[in-house]
Amino acid sequence: WRVDCIVGARPNFVKIAPILRALKAGGFSARLIHTGQHYDRAMSEVFFNELQIPEPDIDLGVGSGSGIAQTAQIMIGLEPVLLAERPDMLLVVGDVNSTLAAGLVAAKLLIPLCHVEAGLRSGDWTMPEEVNRFVTDGLSDLLLTTEREAEETLLREGIPRDRIHFVGNVMIDSLLASLVRAPSAEATLAAHDGALAFRAEAMSRGFGLVTLHRPSNVDDPARLSELLETLAEISARLPLVFAVHPRTRARIAENGLARLLENRLILTTPPLPYLQVISLMKSARLVITDSGGVQEETTALGVPCLTARASTERPITITQGTNTLVGLSTVALKNAVMDVLENGGKRGRTPELWDGRAAERVSARIGDYLTDRAKSK
Ligand code: UD1
């Protein structure tokens, strides 16, 4: 059987790496299709190298644009590719625009669709990802979930039970497989220009890691400048490494906010390679983020995570993990940081099936699905 796997944006690469390995081990032939949503070396190529992902068989090269243009261009690019060589199944991961666009093409071409990371909901329709999640799940034939609550959500939405399987978290497969290769935090900091004074502070006092890229946090200049001012205040108590996403960097430059980060206790870096991110994450005293995946990775590592968002689609990181949903108040964010520094922060446990073997279960469920389908034909 042939399974075509779609990737487009940074978090997809982390999820697809173990899946490709498991599909190969399971005897499938897998074709990798990159939509080109993320194209910078630091956002794409570096991840392919570090995670030992084979070169994509096809690159649609769509690049940046509004979410609508991106989705439309991926659909136009993908249709002839799938028509020329029809796969037995199309596999999509996560909730980015590439996930939705490819899912729509599969559904229109009547190609069975598998969604890995199904059933997560933030309940916030202003997030582009929420639309992507809901629609992709509605189109999918095989829905593989990371947490049990996701199944309840999907059943409530009318998805038949026999399409849903709890397999665990493939992002954690990558994390556990990569930790042994990650450099020390000190070595990671040493790799960055101008980090000498910062490194000394960070090594003696500990440090926090920051990632922010959601439109809701960075596209509104007032919100962004308030957040950056808050980071400057926090850095007086805890030195911060701020890995700046291209979207965030562009908004900071457009709005003349770079001066708010000119501070010897804040080290700003470009988007970091995967092994450097996990090396800093595992040694950080806390992480401040608006990312989805980082909420999960910190839970698996047992590091306190403060999520600067109004909602999360990953409730298990709150109920079982180390994540705290801080909301949009910067006062609440500062208080949460102080609480971690003074009281050590939330302790959690590793959620069920976040055991490093989720991709094997993905491959097994795909095998079951295609076997049943062949029998019923
Ligand atoms: C996308 C995903 C988001 C995910 C994030 C991880 C959607 C709706 N959003 O957001 O869920 O958390 O990726 O990084 O799919 N840019 C570059 N170089 C790149 C990629 C992007 O400069 O390689 C800049 C461009 O200016 C682009 C902007 O970043 O317009 C936004 O990129 P886009 O892919 O639209 O969304 P992200 O914000 O990266």
Side-chain angles (χ1 to χ4, degrees):
W1 280 308
R2 204 181 79 231
V3 179
D4 280 359
C5 300
I6 302 289
V7 290
R10 187 172 56 179
N12 293 168
F13 310 140
V14 182
K15 293 169 196 168
I16 214 70
I19 294 176
L20 286 173
R21 275 195 289 275
L23 285 175
K24 206 172 156 205
F28 295 92
S29 104
R31 189 163 68 157
L32 182 61
I33 303 174
H34 191 330
T35 65
Q37 178 176 345
H38 283 175
Y39 46 86
D40 279 358
R41 203 183 120 68
M43 297 294 286
S44 177
E45 194 185 326
V46 166
F47 283 72
F48 274 74
N49 294 340
E50 285 191 329
L51 291 160
Q52 293 152 357
I53 305 171
E55 289 255 315
D57 298 286
I58 291 160
D59 191 336
L60 303 176
V62 298
S64 296
S66 74
I68 293 169
Q70 238 171 19
T71 306
Q73 275 160 13
I74 295 166
M75 291 182 70
I76 292 167
L78 189 58
E79 180 183 14
V81 169
L82 297 185
L83 280 177
E85 272 187 74
R86 215 181 149 84
D88 297 296
M89 175 159 255
L90 189 86
L91 180 145
V92 295
V93 294
D95 56 11
V96 303
N97 290 333
S98 299
T99 310
L100 169 65
L104 279 166
V105 177
K108 298 265 176 201
L109 296 179
L110 304 179
I111 294 168
L113 177 65
C114 172
H115 184 205
V116 174
E117 203 183 274
L120 298 181
R121 299 289 181 270
S122 67
D124 175 0
W125 280 92
T126 66
M127 279 181 87
E129 293 82 0
E130 185 73 352
V131 179
N132 297 345
R133 293 180 198 116
F134 179 79
V135 179
T136 305
D137 284 340
L139 299 169
S140 294
D141 302 281
L142 183 59
L143 297 96
L144 305 181
T145 62
T146 54
E147 52 181 273
R148 290 199 184 273
E149 207 180 311
E151 174 164 358
E152 302 306 315
T153 304
L154 293 167
L155 292 173
R156 271 200 307 278
E157 289 174 6
I159 308 282
R161 189 183 290 274
D162 61 359
R163 290 191 193 175
I164 310 166
H165 300 273
F166 173 42
V167 295
N169 194 328
V170 292
M171 197 165 224
I172 304 307
D173 289 9
S174 268
L175 177 69
L176 299 179
S178 305
L179 275 175
V180 285
R181 289 187 290 131
S184 68
E186 191 166 12
T188 294
L189 293 177
H192 290 274
D193 291 345
L196 202 60
F198 178 87
R199 197 173 78 199
E201 290 279 353
M203 287 302 117
S204 66
R205 296 166 56 195
F207 64 92
L209 175 66
V210 182
T211 81
L212 295 169
H213 71 281
R214 296 263 156 234
S216 56
N217 277 331
V218 306
D219 284 1
D220 170 19
R223 168 80 182 150
L224 178 58
S225 80
E226 195 192 355
L227 274 169
L228 299 183
E229 280 164 14
T230 305
L231 293 181
E233 285 177 45
I234 292 170
S235 73
R237 298 298 303 267
L238 181 68
L240 296 175
V241 182
F242 183 10
V244 187
H245 183 281
R247 173 193 283 276
T248 310
R249 181 165 301 277
R251 298 297 174 271
I252 289 173
E254 280 160 24
N255 296 295
L257 299 174
R259 68 193 152 74
L260 295 177
L261 295 171
E262 283 166 12
N263 176 333
R264 70 183 183 87
L265 294 172
I266 300 183
L267 177 69
T268 57
T269 72
L272 291 173
Y274 181 65
L275 294 177
Q276 293 195 16
V277 177
I278 63 177
S279 91
L280 294 180
M281 210 186 288
K282 78 170 196 291
S283 301
R285 293 182 69 185
L286 58 85
V287 176
I288 298 171
T289 195
D290 59 9
S291 152
V294 172
Q295 296 173 55
E296 299 183 331
E297 289 162 336
T298 46
T299 274
L301 291 169
V303 173
C305 179
L306 308 176
T307 297
R309 284 172 42 183
S311 60
T312 179
E313 63 287 339
R314 291 165 161 86
I316 204 166
T317 61
I318 310 265
T319 55
Q320 296 187 17
T322 54
N323 190 17
T324 304
L325 193 61
V326 177
L328 300 181
S329 153
T330 48
V331 175
L333 177 59
K334 274 181 278 186
N335 289 341
V337 169
M338 292 317 294
D339 185 51
V340 174
L341 295 182
E342 280 159 21
N343 305 315
K346 206 171 154 182
R347 263 174 265 287
R349 59 186 154 102
T350 305
E352 189 183 357
L353 299 191
W354 291 23
D355 58 358
R357 307 190 64 174
E360 289 169 34
R361 293 186 281 269
V362 169
S363 166
R365 294 294 80 76
I366 290 174
D368 296 345
Y369 174 90
L370 291 173
T371 306
D372 285 352
R373 192 163 185 269
K375 276 192 207 142
S376 66
K377 263 193 180 165

